[in-house]
Amino acid sequence: MDSLIEAWNTAPQMAKVHPTSLELSRVLVSLHKRSNPKVTALAKKAGIRL
């Protein structure tokens, strides 16, 4: 998750469209959507509905 956050901070345009980034974000959200505020913030950046 730390690497994904770093990717969003470094290159948000790339993280938003990269397939691996999107899939990892979806998996994290599906597993931890309410238990982790970092995941919630990533979901909002990626445009994933909770």
Side-chain angles (χ1 to χ4, degrees), residues 1-10 38-39 42 45:
M1 182 161 53
D2 292 333
S3 295
L4 188 57
I5 291 169
E6 185 177 338
W8 273 98
N9 291 334
T10 304
K38 288 182 181 180
V39 173
L42 281 174
K45 285 182 181 180

Side-chain angles (χ1 to χ4, degrees), residues 23-39:
E23 183 61 24
L24 182 56
S25 297
R26 285 186 195 106
V27 169
L28 285 172
V29 167
S30 69
L31 295 175
H32 305 287
K33 59 184 163 189
R34 289 191 174 83
S35 64
N36 192 328
K38 288 182 181 180
V39 173

